[in-house]
């Protein structure tokens, strides 16, 4: 257990599943330094295709647009992380993200802190 305590915590890239072999599809702005650092570990960042999707959303409309843009890829099993602002007073919160995404047939599998300002929920296609 001592070895585990001395081990550094996983990087944000590792938490999100970003490796040097991963192409990440990015939907929305990259306006957080922790997110920029994590994306720098990817092989490439694309606006159209990837083995992993990250969607930075601020409003319910942003969330709906991201779901619409990614729908074809989501149905093939590609995971998506919705990155949204933490805390009260924002137009979008964790419950809204979860309810909206679950209604499309995808399920949440993980949550991760991105930074002091942002949190993220991971969703994948529901297994039948």
């Amino acid at each position: 257990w001592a070895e585990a305590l001395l081990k550094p915590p996983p990087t944000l890239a590792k938490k999100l599943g970003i490796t040097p072999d991963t192409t990440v599809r990015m939907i929305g702005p990259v306006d957080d330094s922790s997110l920029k650092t994590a994306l720098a570990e990817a092989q490439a960042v694309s606006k159209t295709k990837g083995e992993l999707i990250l969607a930075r959303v601020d409003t319910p409309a942003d969330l709906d647009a991201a779901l619409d843009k990614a729908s074809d890829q989501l149905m093939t099993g590609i995971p998506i992380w919705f990155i949204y602002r933490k805390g009260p007073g924002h137009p979008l919160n964790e419950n809204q993200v979860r309810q909206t995404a679950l209604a499309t047939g995808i399920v949440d599998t993980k949550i991760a802190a991105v930074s002091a300002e942002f949190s993220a929920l991971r969703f994948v296609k529901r297994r039948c």
Side-chain angles (χ1 to χ4, degrees), residues 93-110:
N93 63 41
E94 180 179 330
N95 288 336
Q96 291 169 299
V97 172
R98 189 172 275 121
Q99 288 174 352
T100 302
L102 289 172
T104 69
I106 56 178
V107 294
D108 55 315
T109 59
K110 289 184 181 181

Side-chain angles (χ1 to χ4, degrees), residues 11-78:
T11 65
L12 177 58
K14 183 163 178 68
K15 287 185 205 178
L16 298 177
I18 298 171
T19 70
D21 298 325
T22 307
T23 297
V24 177
R25 178 179 182 185
M26 187 69 215
I27 299 171
V30 182
D31 54 358
D32 181 79
S33 61
S34 296
L35 183 56
K36 287 177 187 174
T37 300
L39 286 170
E41 293 192 35
Q43 179 181 37
V45 178
S46 169
K47 291 186 179 196
T48 57
K49 300 217 185 255
E51 297 91 30
L52 176 68
I53 304 166
L54 302 183
R56 245 289 286 121
V57 294
D58 282 323
T59 66
D62 291 346
L63 179 59
D64 290 339
L67 282 163
D68 187 50
K69 288 178 184 176
S71 64
D72 289 345
Q73 289 176 298
L74 293 173
M75 291 306 111
T76 66
I78 293 175

Side-chain angles (χ1 to χ4, degrees), residues 55-59 81-87 90 92-95 97-98 111-112 114 117-123:
R56 245 289 286 121
V57 294
D58 282 323
T59 66
W81 283 94
F82 293 107
I83 302 164
Y84 55 93
R85 294 186 189 279
K86 288 182 182 179
H90 301 292
L92 188 65
N93 63 41
E94 180 179 330
N95 288 336
V97 172
R98 189 172 275 121
I111 190 166
V114 172
E117 189 175 354
F118 293 98
S119 191
L121 279 171
R122 180 182 185 264
F123 289 81

